[in-house]
Amino acid sequence: MKNLLILFILILFVNCHSQTQQEIDDRNKRSSEKFNQYVIKNNKLIVSQVNIDSLETILINKINSLRLDSGLVILTKNGSLSNYADNWSVNMSNKNKLYHSDIENNNIVAENVFSVKSFGSFPMEKKFVLTQANVIFDSWVSSKYHKRNMLLPNINEIGISILFLPDGMIDVYATMVVK
C-alpha cells in the first residue's frame, strides 16, 4: 500500500502543473505535427525520440504496475541504463538480429529484448505506434523468463528503449535492462 501511495504521489507531482486549454491544445498540435518527423541515429532512420519517450514511460508504468501487484517496489528510470538499452536496440537493428547484450560485463542484472518485423507496406500511423507499448509488454509478460526479469525482487532501476524503423515496412525493437 505504501508503494502504491508513493507511486500516486509521484504521478500527481509530475502531472500537477496548471495549463490553460490553449496551452494543452498547442502542445497536442505540436506533438501531432512532430509525430511523423524522423531523426537519424547511428545511421538509422527512426521516429522522433520525442514521441518514443512517452511510449517508454507507458511501458515502465506497466512494468511497475505488475511489480506493485506482486508486492514489489517500483523501478526508477535510470538515464544511463536507458542509453544502454537504446544503444542495444540500435545495435540489434543494425545487425537485423534479435539477441542479448553482454549484461554481465556491464553491471546489469537482467535484460529483455523484443523485435517484430512487419511485412507489406503501410504508413507509420499514430494508432499503430501507440499500441506498441502494450504489444511489447504483453510479449514479455507472457514469457516466464521475461516476466521473471520484470519481477526480480532485488532491483530498483530500469532502462527502456523502443525503436521504430519505418522503411515502407515497420520494424520495432525494444530493450529493457535492470539493476
Side-chain angles (χ1 to χ4, degrees), residues 36-54:
N36 288 319
Q37 291 181 353
Y38 303 107
V39 294
I40 302 294
K41 182 180 276 190
N42 292 354
N43 297 319
K44 286 287 187 175
L45 183 68
I46 65 172
V47 174
S48 173
Q49 191 63 33
V50 172
N51 302 296
I52 302 304
D53 288 343
S54 63

Side-chain angles (χ1 to χ4, degrees), residues 8-79:
F8 176 74
I9 290 170
L10 181 63
I11 291 170
L12 188 61
F13 177 77
V14 170
N15 290 321
C16 276
H17 60 280
S18 77
Q19 292 181 326
T20 66
Q21 186 60 45
Q22 183 61 44
E23 289 171 325
I24 293 169
D25 291 343
D26 289 346
R27 185 188 71 228
N28 289 340
K29 183 178 179 192
R30 283 191 309 274
S31 291
S32 66
E33 288 171 353
K34 289 181 181 179
F35 190 81
N36 288 319
Q37 291 181 353
Y38 303 107
V39 294
I40 302 294
K41 182 180 276 190
N42 292 354
N43 297 319
K44 286 287 187 175
L45 183 68
I46 65 172
V47 174
S48 173
Q49 191 63 33
V50 172
N51 302 296
I52 302 304
D53 288 343
S54 63
L55 290 178
E56 291 168 352
T57 299
I58 290 168
L59 189 51
I60 289 171
N61 289 341
K62 289 179 140 318
I63 292 167
N64 278 332
S65 291
L66 176 68
R67 290 180 62 79
L68 284 173
D69 290 345
S70 299
L72 299 168
V73 299
I74 62 171
L75 302 175
T76 303
K77 184 176 180 181
N78 175 302

Side-chain angles (χ1 to χ4, degrees), residues 89-120:
S89 291
V90 169
N91 181 58
M92 288 188 299
S93 73
N94 284 339
K95 294 188 177 187
N96 197 26
K97 176 179 165 183
L98 178 70
Y99 64 111
H100 289 279
S101 69
D102 182 12
I103 62 173
E104 290 84 20
N105 289 324
N106 287 290
N107 213 17
I108 294 169
V109 174
E111 174 184 65
N112 288 353
V113 292
F114 172 90
S115 176
V116 66
K117 303 217 174 263
S118 302
F119 298 97

